[in-house]
Amino acid sequence: MRISMIDAVRGFALFGILLVNVLDFSLPTLYVDATVFAKDGLDRFLLAFVDIFAQASFYPLFSMLFGWGAWIMLDKGGEKFRVTFLRRLFALLLFGLFHAFFIWHGDILIGYAIVGLFLFPFFRARAKTLRRFALSLWGGWAGVSTILMWVMWKQYGDVDFSEPTLAKQAVANYQQGTWEQIFMQRAYDWLYVNSFTQAFIFILTILPFFLFGAYIAKEKWFHDININRATINKWCIGSFVVGVIFKMLPYVEKNIVTTYAQDMIGGPALALFYFTAFSLMASQVVHVFAPVGKMALTNYLTQSIICTTLFYSYGFGWYGKVTPKQALAVACVVYVIQVVWSHWWLKTYRIGPMERVWRWMTYGKKKTT
């Protein structure tokens, strides 16, 4: 049984991801803070809005949805599930490699494909075991790393991680470079954030959300919302309180510790709030977002194709020329287009074009349900 609310959450997550990613599509925020490009109060307000409500919240949300999907496949797949899931991860890896090196360096699919392998030991785990591991891994890693950040801050003060020279290089290549120069810049950007150490950190960061999403699926929270209303409300309220407290910390006192805790603790907590809060949404809201989420892979890749065409030199070359408010306006327009086209597409077809390819690569035959 496909649950429309889950598709709607996935569609909403795509909007949040685009709000965050568009700043990287259009500006060298990998190397300098986005506030450097703020021209007025509106820019600063919008950047704060994205920082509080979107930054570091939507990749955990998508990760929980990935874990959810894995367990739904387990329920359907029976004994063949392990082989099927492995093929699904391999297909995702291929999509990610193409996306990262030929479209946009900020790909998440490669990481999901690799971290997905760590789900195999948990496929026979009980729901409580999944929850225990998820919360222990997340709490342990977030807590220890935040303490280490505090120790570094006490010893060295606020460290400036900006790289203005690399930012200028990115602007030159993406705004005016040849296809080859853009390819090399894209590869450099990917390697800049994907060292062996970063890969280890990525696994520790993402795996807990995979497991918690699997826990939610195994407990069937959203199969019958009325029965599970008390549990959902408890997690919804608790995650909201924790999320708001930690998200607001840098606006009380900004330093590398509060900024780090905002992302590591506040971001995931707010992600869980979004997940659970969607169960309270009216059916009309679910109807708007669900088609976008049902075509999540197609829309995720399409966002990258559209935005890189707008901002890179082989398209319109707007990279480095826009303000944050202009970039975010582009994101809103792109998302509205995706909402409209997703509704239109699904009136004729049961799944999106890239979803069809993914399922063919997973099952080796047509499968549209």
Side-chain angles (χ1 to χ4, degrees):
M1 177 183 70
R2 193 172 189 107
I3 301 175
S4 294
M5 194 218 79
I6 297 298
D7 285 329
V9 175
R10 197 175 283 114
F12 175 68
L14 280 167
F15 180 53
I17 285 172
L18 182 56
L19 288 179
V20 175
N21 287 350
V22 75
L23 296 171
D24 191 279
F25 283 129
S26 59
L27 299 165
T29 55
L30 182 63
Y31 301 111
V32 292
D33 193 89
T35 55
V36 171
F37 304 98
K39 301 296 184 182
D40 52 34
L42 181 57
D43 276 335
R44 288 186 285 273
F45 170 78
L46 291 174
L47 287 174
F49 180 87
V50 172
D51 183 50
I52 294 169
F53 295 104
Q55 179 66 37
S57 289
F58 286 97
Y59 79 83
L61 179 54
F62 236 109
S63 301
M64 285 187 274
L65 291 165
F66 188 92
W68 163 283
W71 246 255
I72 296 302
M73 282 189 66
L74 175 60
D75 277 346
K76 293 180 179 180
E79 294 182 359
K80 296 181 178 179
F81 166 74
R82 291 177 182 271
V83 174
T84 302
F85 190 64
L86 192 60
R87 291 180 61 174
R88 188 172 180 82
L89 293 177
F90 181 68
L92 194 66
L93 177 63
L94 294 180
F95 286 134
L97 289 170
F98 184 83
H99 182 226
F101 292 100
F102 292 95
I103 303 177
W104 181 56
H105 72 88
D107 171 78
I108 196 73
L109 304 180
I110 296 173
Y112 276 21
I114 294 171
V115 179
L117 295 172
F118 290 85
L119 286 175
F120 279 89
F122 295 95
F123 283 144
R124 296 192 180 279
R126 296 180 301 170
K128 289 183 179 180
T129 302
L130 291 171
R131 184 185 65 190
R132 189 180 303 117
F133 267 92
L135 294 179
S136 298
L137 283 172
W138 173 64
W141 169 241
V144 169
S145 59
T146 301
I147 291 171
L148 290 175
M149 188 65 71
W150 178 81
V151 171
M152 185 175 75
W153 176 63
K154 294 297 288 185
Q155 185 169 358
Y156 301 106
D158 280 317
V159 180
D160 184 8
F161 295 104
S162 63
E163 299 273 7
T165 302
L166 295 180
K168 290 180 181 179
Q169 174 185 296
V171 171
N173 286 327
Y174 286 132
Q175 187 185 102
Q176 300 176 336
T178 64
W179 188 93
E180 182 181 1
Q181 288 172 321
I182 290 174
F183 177 85
M184 295 304 296
Q185 180 67 50
R186 191 187 294 118
Y188 182 89
D189 290 347
W190 188 87
L191 291 170
Y192 184 82
V193 294
N194 287 281
S195 64
F196 179 80
T197 302
Q198 287 296 329
F200 178 72
I201 292 173
F202 186 84
I203 293 169
L204 288 176
T205 302
I206 296 297
L207 182 59
F209 308 135
F210 280 14
L211 294 175
F212 200 82
Y215 159 71
I216 292 173
K218 199 171 183 69
E219 287 285 87
K220 301 185 184 297
W221 280 12
F222 303 115
H223 288 72
D224 193 326
I225 292 174
N226 291 328
I227 291 178
N228 296 290
R229 173 56 62 197
T231 298
I232 294 171
N233 287 348
K234 178 182 70 174
W235 284 97
C236 184
I237 295 170
S239 60
F240 176 77
V241 172
V242 173
V244 169
I245 290 173
F246 279 91
K247 276 288 191 172
M248 294 303 298
L249 280 181
Y251 296 89
V252 177
E253 181 181 352
K254 187 175 178 65
N255 55 57
I256 60 172
V257 181
T258 57
T259 302
Y260 185 81
Q262 179 196 44
D263 286 353
M264 285 298 294
I265 302 173
L270 209 57
L272 183 57
F273 166 71
Y274 291 144
F275 200 165
T276 51
F278 248 84
S279 66
L280 305 173
M281 294 293 176
S283 59
Q284 292 89 340
V285 176
V286 172
H287 175 74
V288 170
F289 288 103
V292 186
K294 194 172 182 181
M295 297 170 52
L297 179 61
T298 297
N299 283 318
Y300 172 70
L301 295 174
T302 303
Q303 287 176 359
S304 295
I305 293 170
I306 293 174
C307 288
T308 52
T309 301
L310 291 175
F311 294 111
Y312 289 4
S313 64
Y314 55 70
F316 290 84
W318 293 349
Y319 191 92
K321 297 179 180 179
V322 297
T323 62
K325 60 177 171 288
Q326 291 169 333
L328 292 168
V330 168
C332 291
V333 171
V334 169
Y335 188 76
V336 169
I337 292 172
Q338 290 193 310
V339 170
V340 173
W341 105 278
S342 296
H343 279 261
W344 172 79
W345 180 273
L346 292 175
K347 286 181 180 179
T348 305
Y349 305 100
R350 300 185 68 178
I351 58 175
M354 293 310 300
E355 285 70 22
R356 185 176 296 275
V357 174
W358 194 12
R359 292 190 181 193
W360 174 77
M361 294 173 73
T362 300
Y363 298 99
K365 60 182 179 180
K366 288 185 177 181
K367 184 177 177 67
T368 58
T369 57

